[in-house]
Amino acid sequence: MKDRHGVKAVHTKSGDISADAFVLCLGVFSPLLVEKLGMSLPVYPVKGYSVTVAADDLPISPTLGGVDEENLLAYCPMDKRLRLTATAEISGYSTNHKPSDFSVMLTKARELFGDRLGASAIDYWAGLRPMTPTGLPIIDRAPVDNLFINTGHGHMGWTMSNGCARMVADMIGQKPLAHSNEGMRYGK
Ligand SMILES: Cc1cc2nc3c(=O)[nH]c(=O)nc-3n(C[C@H](O)[C@H](O)[C@H](O)COP(=O)(O)OP(=O)(O)OC[C@H]3O[C@@H](n4cnc5c(N)ncnc54)[C@H](O)[C@@H]3O)c2cc1C
């Protein structure tokens, strides 16, 4: 909901929420909400796949996350589980998946961690990375008063989350930015 002073409230299932400032951070859905405000955001879905397996199945389970650069396979230990991710697919907003979508990833993962990877169970998942054409997120004031943008982090959203949150907090607090948003401006 917007009036001539900017965004007044966000309409939610639990009622309207009003605030002094609003941050747009809806991942791949960010462009869809602000279309109504006349804004155009170059953020597009890039699908990725992930499996989570039991660490106990592996002869040696890593204690730190890492990336197999040659095979573009990332892994992250999560207590008694190991989560792996790979693949970038441009195929719209669907998060559907089937077992064969994971076969290349599992083959590469077993080369790294042994044939028993996934022996007891495998959780399959697919999600959408909010990508921009430049690969950089959009961190800026919107052309609508009291609306700020923090979206489009693509495959690095977790990694960049603290730095980007700091930049947006500085913008809202009207402080000098701790990190420059050069190359991450709206419409530039
Ligand atoms: C397979 C895969 C692997 C990844 N691996 C890594 C990695 O190793 N390291 C890394 O740094 N990043 C990784 N990422 C990227 C990271 O997950 C994203 O960049 C990050 O989640 C983006 O955060 P976000 O908060 O902007 O969007 P999201 O995490 O997508 O959150 C947006 C939220 O807004 C909600 N929402 C959307 N529209 C509405 C609406 N109209 N009303 C209410 N709520 C709404 C959504 O439900 C969602 O909860 C990976 C992504 C994928 C898909």
Side-chain angles (χ1 to χ4, degrees), residues 11 25-30 33 46-50 74 85-87 125-130 150-160:
H11 185 63
C25 53
L26 300 178
V28 294
F29 300 101
S30 300
L33 191 76
V46 173
K47 189 172 185 178
Y49 295 87
S50 152
T85 180
T87 317
W125 183 81
L128 302 172
R129 304 179 183 98
N150 183 7
T151 194
H153 304 78
H155 63 297
M156 296 297 276
W158 288 100
T159 312
M160 293 193 278

Side-chain angles (χ1 to χ4, degrees), residues 23-151:
V23 180
L24 177 71
C25 53
L26 300 178
V28 294
F29 300 101
S30 300
L32 311 184
L33 191 76
V34 293
E35 252 174 21
K36 294 171 197 155
L37 302 177
M39 287 170 57
S40 167
L41 276 180
V43 175
Y44 306 98
V46 173
K47 189 172 185 178
Y49 295 87
S50 152
V51 292
T52 306
V53 297
D56 282 349
D57 287 343
L58 312 178
I60 299 171
S61 186
T63 52
L64 288 175
V67 180
D68 173 354
E69 293 278 359
E70 210 165 297
N71 293 305
L72 299 176
L73 178 74
Y75 54 88
C76 171
M78 299 168 66
D79 194 19
K80 294 188 176 309
R81 298 173 301 160
L82 182 70
R83 179 163 293 168
L84 302 106
T85 180
T87 317
E89 189 179 287
I90 297 174
S91 55
Y93 283 83
S94 165
T95 53
N96 290 346
H97 53 80
K98 53 189 184 312
S100 60
D101 294 326
F102 300 84
S103 45
V104 172
M105 185 195 312
L106 285 170
T107 302
K108 296 296 171 193
R110 286 179 180 132
E111 282 169 17
L112 270 183
F113 296 109
D115 287 344
R116 283 196 46 77
L117 180 135
S120 54
I122 303 180
D123 280 339
Y124 297 100
W125 183 81
L128 302 172
R129 304 179 183 98
M131 290 299 303
T132 63
T134 62
L136 290 173
I138 303 167
I139 316 289
D140 205 357
R141 284 180 162 275
V144 173
D145 273 355
N146 74 347
L147 179 63
F148 298 82
I149 309 168
N150 183 7
T151 194

Side-chain angles (χ1 to χ4, degrees), residues 136-140 149 160 164 167 179-186 188:
L136 290 173
I138 303 167
I139 316 289
D140 205 357
I149 309 168
M160 293 193 278
C164 293
M167 288 157 78
H179 314 288
S180 163
N181 67 338
E182 187 66 44
M184 297 178 239
R185 300 209 174 107
Y186 173 76
K188 299 274 164 66

